[in-house]
Amino acid sequence: MASETVSIEIREAVIDEWPIVHRIMREAFEEYRGVLHPPSGALREELEDTIRKLSPRGGAVLAIAEGEAIGSAQYRVEDDYVYIGRISVVASARGRGIGKQLVRFLEKLAAGRGLSEVRLEVRLSLPANIQFYERLGYRVIIECRYPDDSDGWYIMAKAC
């Protein structure tokens, strides 16, 4: 399917669609199995964990193309910012700007709720992902390390 001829719809997922959000997340994060140390929590996260984590201060969004869900992201509203997590695009749909559209949708959601900032976290061992968010205007505000110092992550932020 050619990206220029296929319209992508980004919208909030209703709770009945959270199993779809969870499935896309697990599928997208599968590429990191055996690569990230420690392993990504996304690969252990069950649907019930996702629901517990997002309720009542969060939600999820879906990217839909030709009636099929091909991307998702989760968010949680904090005091003065929205935290975005688990940005996921199925392998067959990558390279079409869907991740960028998901992030932009959530930035608008945060601004629409009067919040001042959007934050997300990125593994240090995934430099292409760090560069992706830098190109979208995110900056590093905190660097964190795992206790065994095997890896770390940046907390990145962007003003709304």
Side-chain angles (χ1 to χ4, degrees), residues 108-148:
K108 288 177 186 171
L109 181 139
R113 293 186 181 188
L115 299 167
S116 62
E117 190 174 67
V118 176
R119 294 184 186 179
L120 47 82
E121 297 178 0
V122 186
R123 285 281 189 110
L124 297 178
S125 58
L126 299 173
N129 290 7
I130 295 167
Q131 292 168 358
F132 171 78
Y133 294 115
E134 288 174 336
R135 285 191 305 272
L136 294 180
Y138 286 79
R139 69 187 189 335
V140 175
I141 59 170
I142 301 171
E143 180 177 342
C144 306
R145 300 291 306 178
Y146 288 101
D148 67 358

Side-chain angles (χ1 to χ4, degrees), residues 55-139:
S55 298
R57 297 185 338 233
V61 296
L62 284 170
I64 311 286
E66 298 181 333
E68 180 182 350
I70 56 172
S72 68
Q74 301 171 20
Y75 71 90
R76 188 177 65 248
V77 178
E78 298 295 342
D79 292 334
D80 59 349
Y81 66 91
V82 167
Y83 171 80
I84 302 173
R86 309 286 198 235
I87 301 161
S88 308
V89 177
V90 298
S92 63
R94 292 185 185 154
R96 295 168 45 194
I98 296 163
K100 178 179 178 179
Q101 290 180 55
L102 287 164
V103 171
R104 295 288 191 232
F105 183 93
L106 288 166
E107 290 170 352
K108 288 177 186 171
L109 181 139
R113 293 186 181 188
L115 299 167
S116 62
E117 190 174 67
V118 176
R119 294 184 186 179
L120 47 82
E121 297 178 0
V122 186
R123 285 281 189 110
L124 297 178
S125 58
L126 299 173
N129 290 7
I130 295 167
Q131 292 168 358
F132 171 78
Y133 294 115
E134 288 174 336
R135 285 191 305 272
L136 294 180
Y138 286 79
R139 69 187 189 335

Side-chain angles (χ1 to χ4, degrees), residues 2-63:
S3 61
E4 61 274 357
T5 61
V6 176
S7 173
I8 306 294
E9 174 194 5
I10 309 290
R11 63 170 174 73
E12 284 200 68
V14 297
I15 196 153
D16 290 347
E17 295 173 314
W18 285 13
I20 298 167
V21 170
H22 182 262
R23 176 186 52 78
I24 291 170
M25 179 216 38
R26 291 289 292 266
E27 181 181 330
F29 275 75
E30 189 61 36
E31 74 177 280
Y32 299 125
R33 187 178 300 280
V35 174
L36 295 178
H37 303 286
S40 171
L43 295 171
R44 294 184 312 274
E45 189 173 295
E46 297 297 331
L47 176 59
E48 296 75 22
D49 300 322
T50 302
I51 292 169
R52 188 173 35 259
K53 177 178 66 176
L54 298 179
S55 298
R57 297 185 338 233
V61 296
L62 284 170

